Amino acid sequence: MSLPPSARSRPTDLSTSLRVATALICVVAAALVAGVPASVAAAARAQVLRSVGGIPAFLAGEFENATGFARRPDGSSLVFDRRRHRVYQIDAARTVVSPLVEIGYETGRVLRPTSFDVADSGDFIVADAPGRRPRVSVFQANGKALNTFDVAATESPRVIVDNVVLNGIGAARYTGTTVLLNQPERGVLVTEYSVTGVVQRQMGQLRRTGFESDPDVHLAFNTALPLPTRDGGLYVVFLAGPPAFRKYSAGGVLEFERVIQGREIDALVLRMPTQWPRRRVDDVSVPVVPPMVRTAAVDRQGRLWVAMPTSHIYVFDEDGEKVQTWQLAGAGVLTPSSLWFAPDGRLLVTPGLYEFAPPIG
């Protein structure tokens, strides 16, 4: 007995339907892949950015602990050597190193320096703490001191990076007209000072850490780099605790907060301790809090570059979305201690005093 036509047609209809559905899925998938920006696809894997130059090895070897590297408008370079308590200049031909700011307690010298930052003009700041008295010195590009002012802040250490103990003044940044300091001990993330030492404004509530009952750890988890943006706003990149950053508007309003994630740092995040041993630093007992971020900078396109302890650098666009993952290669893969972008877009990096030419866009 033969089956009715309707019964005989079902297998054929089902097979056709599956083929059509599969074809539609392939079309949609192809469209979605085609619509993914190349920058997003690149962010899924680490790329290697190779050095295009830098300070010659016979000069770079002159420094003990170069943790700041920038270029002045005349083509000469500035190098901050934290261990030697000095700032050096290298001529534009890159043949001679000479001291620019010497070690010392007096105004115009530095002692126990913790941070260094350079404006496009070549003017720069050095934050130090002689006699455990935090201060910031503002220098012209030629090394002449413009002003030195004391900072009403604790000099107590918070985060330890490469055996260097950092605190609020250890994250000082210079806009060219004002000085930005991370001061969570004052109940705010960032305090902005004039070059004469007058407080201009304060911004940013401290983030919740779950360790509010332990003030030392709570402050460590709110230790951050304040980074000015091209629109007058500010990035705040947390150095310790769960990796994250915030973006504030020029008016000091929080625009967004982003958690820093990536397969390159998964193991680092999973190993983050919940208890911290204490050690004595300058007769002060402090918890040993390791960094989750080493340094950060904003490039000339407004993108945020965040260097992780794994040697990877995550790049975020102005909306806070990760668009690239880099590793920097000089003589080998670098784990940056400082990043600085020149007006021409070149990236200057320590250690090694290398230069890189990041792609535009």
Side-chain angles (χ1 to χ4, degrees):
M1 182 177 68
S2 62
L3 294 172
S6 58
R8 292 196 303 267
S9 66
R10 286 176 186 170
T12 303
D13 291 344
L14 180 58
S15 177
T16 301
S17 299
L18 287 173
R19 288 197 300 271
V20 171
T22 301
L24 286 173
I25 290 172
C26 292
V27 170
V28 171
L32 288 173
V33 171
V36 173
S39 59
V40 175
R45 62 187 185 277
Q47 304 174 82
V48 176
L49 187 61
R50 300 192 179 279
S51 170
V52 296
I55 302 302
F58 75 93
L59 293 181
E62 294 286 324
F63 306 104
E64 289 187 24
N65 183 24
T67 52
F69 176 32
R71 194 168 65 213
R72 294 187 289 196
D74 64 2
S76 61
S77 301
L78 296 174
V79 177
F80 170 52
D81 191 325
R82 179 182 280 128
R83 188 168 298 159
R84 287 185 173 176
H85 309 254
R86 288 183 175 91
V87 177
Y88 293 87
Q89 60 183 352
I90 301 175
D91 65 311
R94 297 184 170 179
T95 58
V96 179
V97 175
S98 55
L100 188 65
V101 177
E102 292 278 8
I103 182 174
Y105 182 94
E106 306 86 355
T107 298
R109 294 172 176 258
V110 298
L111 187 65
R112 299 181 68 204
T114 54
S115 61
F116 165 81
D117 196 35
V118 183
D120 288 346
S121 62
D123 295 354
F124 60 95
I125 62 168
V126 180
D128 65 352
R132 298 189 62 188
R133 179 172 57 90
R135 68 179 182 179
V136 175
S137 297
V138 183
F139 296 89
Q140 292 179 321
N142 60 9
K144 181 180 179 180
L146 284 173
N147 188 48
T148 297
F149 61 89
D150 293 338
V151 178
T154 177
E155 206 263 328
S156 298
R158 298 186 197 141
V159 181
I160 299 177
V161 183
D162 291 339
N163 294 320
V164 175
V165 181
L166 297 183
N167 49 28
I169 62 170
R173 288 297 181 266
Y174 188 38
T175 68
T177 56
T178 60
V179 178
L180 302 171
L181 296 180
N182 168 236
Q183 293 191 294
E185 72 277 4
R186 301 183 66 158
V188 295
L189 285 174
V190 180
T191 303
E192 186 170 21
Y193 291 82
S194 69
V195 294
T196 60
V198 177
V199 174
Q200 303 294 295
R201 61 174 178 165
Q202 296 179 311
M203 70 180 77
Q205 293 183 342
L206 304 189
R207 66 170 173 172
R208 296 181 179 179
T209 64
F211 294 94
E212 284 76 5
S213 61
D214 187 338
D216 289 332
V217 175
H218 183 59
L219 289 179
F221 277 23
N222 277 285
T223 300
L225 288 174
L227 303 172
T229 62
R230 60 181 181 175
D231 62 2
L234 189 71
Y235 283 113
V236 174
V237 182
F238 296 100
L239 291 175
F245 66 91
R246 292 178 180 174
K247 171 72 185 314
Y248 290 88
S249 69
V253 177
L254 177 63
E255 293 184 355
F256 57 77
E257 179 171 354
R258 297 284 187 268
V259 175
I260 299 176
Q261 296 178 318
R263 59 187 176 185
E264 297 83 7
I265 63 169
D266 283 345
L268 183 69
V269 174
L270 290 173
R271 291 198 307 267
M272 190 171 65
T274 56
Q275 294 182 338
W276 291 264
R278 301 184 75 89
R279 62 181 279 189
R280 298 196 71 81
V281 178
D282 294 334
D283 296 325
V284 177
S285 176
V286 296
V288 179
V289 179
M292 298 297 285
V293 167
R294 289 183 58 86
T295 189
V298 179
D299 69 15
R300 300 295 163 164
Q301 300 175 63
R303 300 176 302 182
L304 174 65
W305 292 54
V306 181
M308 312 304 294
T310 59
S311 80
H312 296 89
I313 297 178
Y314 292 150
V315 183
F316 300 87
D317 65 19
E318 291 181 288
D319 293 322
E321 302 302 322
K322 185 166 65 174
V323 294
Q324 290 172 326
T325 301
W326 290 109
Q327 285 186 299
L328 304 181
V333 175
L334 303 177
T335 301
S337 58
S338 73
L339 305 170
W340 188 83
F341 284 94
D344 63 2
R346 287 285 182 98
L347 172 60
L348 280 61
V349 177
T350 63
L353 305 178
Y354 291 102
E355 291 189 13
F356 298 85
I360 298 176

